[in-house]
Structure formats: structure tokens, C-alpha cells
Amino acid sequence: MAKIKSLDELRRIKTSASDLTAARSSNAVKVIVGMGTCGIAAGAREVMDAVLKEIEKRGLKDVSVQTTGCIGMCQEEPLLDVIYPNKGRITYGRVTPEDVPRIVSEHVVNGRIVEDLVIARVDD
């Protein structure tokens, strides 16, 4: 990584990075993939790759993609949560990369829960 040589250069970097981090601090929809060792062993990396590709393909800007560790539901891995502001948390289990376009299309974009993949709900 190159050294930052001026205050103006630092400001330009800050401005360009703010677009990348804005979704985390806003009321964005959050997609959380369980990346504990149990999740990774069950295919969470492939699910995460599919999530990132689908969000990029659709040009979704107001979606925050995050990771979490093991939450004790190892038998249901890979796990993927979708959290809408003020609408609670939906947890999908045994998610495959092939399920991701449907979850993103139905739930993340249109707000319709993919009922057949849901394993848990937490209401606000």
C-alpha cells in the first residue's frame, strides 16, 4: 500500500471509502452470513460469494453484507440472515449458493420472505 502524502489525498480516500461504508451505518437491509468454522465447513464461503455476486449484479447499493461467527445452530449451516429495519430478523438455514438469487430477489429486493427456507424469526 502506498503512503498517503497529503491531506487532500487522505480526503479523497475518505470520500471514496464513504460510499462503501454508508450502507453499514444507514437504515440499509442487512444480510449476514454465518462464517464460523461450522458454517465454512458447510459451504458458507460459497454462499457469501454468491451473495456478493448477486448484490453486485443487481447494483444494490443500500444493502449491508456482514459476517458473524457461530451462533450454535451448526446443524443448520450455512446460515443467512436478512434484517430489515424495524421488521425483525429472518434466518435462513442450509442455504446453498443456488438459493441466494431467490433470497435476494424475493426478500432483500421485494421484502417477501422465502418461507420454505426459514428456520428462525426474531421480531423487533
Side-chain angles (χ1 to χ4, degrees):
M1 175 180 264
K3 279 187 169 181
I4 298 171
K5 296 177 182 167
S6 69
L7 186 56
D8 286 338
E9 188 176 347
L10 179 60
R11 287 182 177 137
R12 282 192 304 272
I13 292 169
K14 179 183 175 187
T15 300
S16 66
S18 67
D19 291 343
L20 298 173
T21 60
R24 285 189 180 177
S25 60
S26 71
N27 284 333
V29 176
K30 291 180 185 165
V31 175
I32 303 171
V33 178
M35 297 290 285
T37 52
C38 52
I40 291 170
R45 284 188 203 275
E46 292 79 8
V47 170
M48 175 61 94
D49 288 345
V51 168
L52 294 173
K53 284 178 186 171
E54 191 67 22
I55 287 173
E56 183 179 338
K57 182 176 100 179
R58 293 174 174 272
L60 301 176
K61 300 290 183 200
D62 202 23
V63 176
S64 170
V65 179
Q66 301 174 14
T67 63
T68 189
C70 178
I71 62 168
M73 299 175 68
C74 307
Q75 72 280 6
E76 300 291 343
E77 295 282 358
L79 298 171
L80 185 153
D81 291 350
V82 176
I83 303 173
Y84 260 85
N86 304 317
K87 291 189 176 180
R89 180 182 199 135
I90 301 297
T91 301
Y92 296 103
R94 298 182 188 216
V95 176
T96 66
E98 293 76 25
D99 295 327
V100 169
R102 192 170 119 198
I103 293 170
V104 170
S105 172
E106 291 294 317
H107 195 170
V108 174
V109 173
N110 294 310
R112 295 187 298 255
I113 298 168
V114 182
E115 297 289 346
D116 60 304
L117 297 175
V118 173
I119 61 163
R121 298 170 192 255
V122 177
D123 295 324
D124 272 349

